[in-house]
């Protein structure tokens, strides 16, 4: 794709950064919300 | 062909995300709670050894709010031999508190007081202290240790109710026991649809 650098190393670095960023958003925001909304509400 | 490949990649991506969520629920959250419980167990042992000395945070059965630094302190040790539970109970039932371990409902009585004492615990993730709560049957023992006394309760009933039925925290209407312990968790497993409620009656108190 044209918006990615042509060289391999920066391209891989961008892939890794995007994956880690996505994982962090899931782990710290999306998953806790899913957990408290659908999975874990043991109280009244 | 390109559409098929894109669709396949999207499904692989979603599948990996779901696997990541399972990892979060089963490993990530439990690691957090185990770390907290390890500290709470050590602190509680110290409090039992020196009830009026080294740890002024423990003053009998009173709930101890978070002390300096936002720390959360245990108020009791809950043991359920039949399902291998041995955890420290904290004060409060917010999800932040339940990340430390089972929590005491603030609107219910404290251990040792007349009336019903309510304790909630997770059934999925966060070490799932009440994962096997449905295995309890009438007559099983539940033991609570505080710095003031050790209380032994006996299971009298187990019911499933919707989250709207908070009156269960008033205790088992069929029981005439002066002191009761009510344990609550989610049911069925892995969902927050209903609440599993275990009623117990106090049968013995041994003061420290």
């Amino acid at each position: 794709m044209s918006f990615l650098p042509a060289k391999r190393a920066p391209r891989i670095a961008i892939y890794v950064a995007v994956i880690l960023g996505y994982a962090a958003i899931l782990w710290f925001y999306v998953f806790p919300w899913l957990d408290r909304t659908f999975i874990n509400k043991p109280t009244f | 062909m390109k559409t098929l490949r894109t669709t396949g990649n999207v499904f692989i991506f979603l599948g990996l995300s779901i696997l990541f969520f399972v990892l979060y629920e089963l490993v990530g959250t439990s690691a957090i709670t185990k770390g907290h419980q390890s500290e709470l167990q050590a602190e509680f042992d110290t409090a039992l050894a020196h009830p009026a000395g080294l740890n002024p945070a423990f003053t009998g059965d009173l709930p101890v709010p978070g002390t300096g630094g936002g720390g959360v302190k245990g108020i009791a040790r809950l043991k359920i031999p039949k399902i291998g539970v041995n955890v420290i109970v904290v004060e409060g039932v917010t999800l932040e508190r339940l990340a430390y371990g089972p929590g005491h409902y603030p609107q219910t009585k404290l251990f040792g007081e007349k009336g019903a004492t309510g304790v909630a615990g997770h059934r999925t993730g966060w070490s799932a202290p009440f994962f096997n709560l449905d295995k309890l049957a009438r007559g099983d023992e539940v033991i609570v240790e505080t710095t003031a006394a050790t209380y032994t309760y006996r299971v009298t009933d187990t019911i499933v109710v919707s989250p709207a039925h908070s009156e269960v925290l008033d205790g088992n209407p069929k029981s005439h026991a002066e002191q009761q312990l009510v344990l609550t968790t989610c049911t069925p497993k892995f969902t927050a649809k209903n609440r599993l409620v275990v009623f117990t009656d106090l049968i013995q108190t041994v003061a420290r």
Side-chain angles (χ1 to χ4, degrees):
Chain A
M1 287 191 234
S2 59
F3 57 85
L4 285 173
K7 289 189 176 175
R8 194 177 178 194
R11 183 186 285 259
I12 290 174
I14 288 175
Y15 280 142
V16 170
V18 168
I19 290 169
L20 287 179
Y22 174 71
I25 289 168
L26 288 183
W27 192 272
F28 293 107
Y29 294 98
V30 179
F31 291 168
W33 176 80
L34 286 173
D35 177 70
R36 65 177 177 263
T37 307
F38 299 108
I39 309 289
N40 269 313
K41 271 188 192 170
T43 59
F44 289 94
Chain B
M1 193 64 189
K2 192 180 176 187
T3 308
L4 193 64
R5 184 180 296 168
T6 304
T7 308
N9 285 339
V10 167
F11 276 108
I12 290 171
F13 180 73
L14 288 175
L16 288 175
S17 298
I18 291 169
L19 277 179
F20 194 38
F21 179 59
V22 172
L23 189 74
Y24 168 84
E25 277 293 328
L26 300 184
V27 181
T29 58
S30 291
I32 294 168
T33 302
K34 279 177 185 165
H36 289 320
Q37 275 290 317
S38 177
E39 289 176 13
L40 289 170
Q41 291 276 9
E43 286 176 11
F44 196 76
D45 285 336
T46 304
L48 288 181
H50 308 281
L54 290 178
N55 192 340
F58 289 92
T59 51
D61 282 337
L62 293 173
V64 182
T67 52
V72 175
K73 297 291 180 188
I75 60 168
R77 177 177 279 130
L78 174 70
K79 293 180 182 175
I80 311 177
K82 185 178 181 182
I83 56 175
V85 170
N86 183 339
V87 287
I88 300 296
V89 177
V90 298
E91 178 62 22
V93 293
T94 61
L95 291 177
E96 288 75 21
R97 285 297 171 103
L98 294 181
Y100 286 77
H104 167 250
Y105 284 91
Q107 69 269 39
T108 65
K109 300 293 182 184
L110 292 166
F111 301 107
E113 289 183 352
K114 284 184 182 177
T117 305
V119 171
H122 281 305
R123 204 168 183 206
T124 305
W126 307 101
S127 276
F130 289 173
F131 186 76
N132 287 319
L133 204 66
D134 58 326
K135 302 274 194 308
L136 291 183
R138 188 183 299 242
D140 290 334
E141 280 191 351
V142 176
I143 299 159
V144 174
E145 290 177 8
T146 70
T147 52
T150 298
Y151 307 97
T152 303
Y153 300 84
R154 189 157 284 164
V155 175
T156 57
D157 212 351
T158 300
I159 60 170
V160 173
V161 297
S162 80
H165 288 277
S166 58
E167 70 274 8
V168 296
L169 294 176
D170 296 333
N172 186 355
K174 298 175 195 164
S175 168
H176 300 293
E178 277 193 346
Q179 294 182 39
Q180 296 184 40
L181 172 64
V182 182
L183 305 174
T184 73
T185 192
C186 303
T187 199
K189 284 175 181 169
F190 310 112
T191 78
K193 187 180 177 192
N194 290 317
R195 302 291 176 269
L196 174 67
V197 182
V198 174
F199 293 112
T200 69
D201 284 353
L202 182 71
I203 57 169
Q204 187 183 49
T205 301
V206 179
R208 282 190 183 279

